[in-house]
Amino acid sequence: MSIGHTLLGLLEGGPRHGYDLKRAFDERFGQDRPLHYGQVYSTMSRLLRNGLVEVDGVEAGGGPERKRYAITEAGITDVSRWLAAPEKPEPYLQSTLYTKVVLALLTGRSAADLLDSQRAEHLRLMRALTERKRSGDLADQLICDHALFHLEADLRWLELTAARLDQLSAEVLA
């Protein structure tokens, strides 16, 4: 995810302070990985330097000055371009799971046990995501669905690999 583009998109709704941007980001996108304040302010500094945002006002408070940021026309154009560009699908051609299976075979360890252990971990996470989905709002449900579909694909791969383990072992150890 592009943090800069996400913050720019949030600014299209109107000027905001860094604290407000962090809160809006965390509410919409950061349930599992909230943004750090330092990341917000370093990103805003870069966007300011690149002319994608401007300081809309500065307020003195009990602590450091609070800058209110606004998106510029160049920032709006940049977000529009980013939103219109499709994301590159990531086919995971060099999978850590595959690497572990092959190394288990090469070192005489049980690849079947590794696959069983991984399957159990996938199922545990799927149960947790399903529970989270039940109690979540629509945004959380969609995020959980995305993760669940990826985990289901991984499970299919685990099953296929387990079914072909003897053949893979023969090829790897040849």
Side-chain angles (χ1 to χ4, degrees):
M1 173 189 308
S2 169
I3 303 300
H5 286 111
T6 305
L7 295 177
L8 284 172
L10 291 171
L11 282 173
E12 280 200 51
R16 296 181 189 218
H17 296 97
Y19 173 83
D20 297 327
L21 283 168
K22 180 203 175 342
R23 192 178 66 226
F25 180 96
D26 289 352
E27 285 174 3
R28 297 277 184 199
F29 312 109
Q31 295 91 343
D32 296 315
R33 277 188 276 160
L35 217 50
H36 296 284
Y37 284 106
Q39 191 172 10
V40 172
Y41 292 110
S42 64
T43 302
M44 295 313 295
S45 291
R46 183 177 39 81
L47 296 172
L48 186 62
R49 186 178 61 246
N50 294 338
L52 302 176
V53 299
E54 60 191 8
V55 175
D56 187 55
V58 178
E59 299 169 8
E65 291 182 332
R66 292 179 36 153
K67 293 179 185 173
R68 188 175 53 245
Y69 299 95
I71 192 168
T72 62
E73 285 301 318
I76 292 170
T77 300
D78 196 54
V79 170
S80 295
R81 212 175 297 133
W82 178 68
L83 289 173
E87 289 296 307
K88 179 182 176 193
E90 297 179 27
Y92 306 109
L93 291 178
Q94 189 54 39
S95 164
T96 303
L97 289 175
Y98 173 76
T99 302
K100 285 184 168 189
V101 169
V102 170
L103 286 175
L105 293 171
L106 287 172
T107 59
R109 292 177 174 90
S110 174
D113 288 350
L114 183 151
L115 292 169
D116 287 343
S117 173
Q118 191 63 51
R119 184 182 305 105
E121 183 59 19
H122 272 61
L123 291 171
R124 183 202 62 75
L125 182 54
M126 290 176 81
R127 283 189 293 277
L129 287 168
T130 300
E131 185 59 35
R132 176 177 163 182
K133 181 179 161 180
R134 265 191 217 110
S135 61
D137 61 9
L138 180 59
D140 211 32
Q141 291 171 14
L142 290 170
I143 288 168
C144 289
D145 282 338
H146 187 264
L148 285 164
F149 292 151
H150 281 271
L151 289 168
E152 286 174 6
D154 284 351
L155 276 176
R156 287 194 311 270
W157 182 86
L158 290 167
E159 295 297 329
L160 179 65
T161 302
R164 294 180 174 173
L165 206 48
D166 290 338
Q167 181 183 354
L168 180 62
S169 180
E171 286 184 21
V172 165
L173 298 175

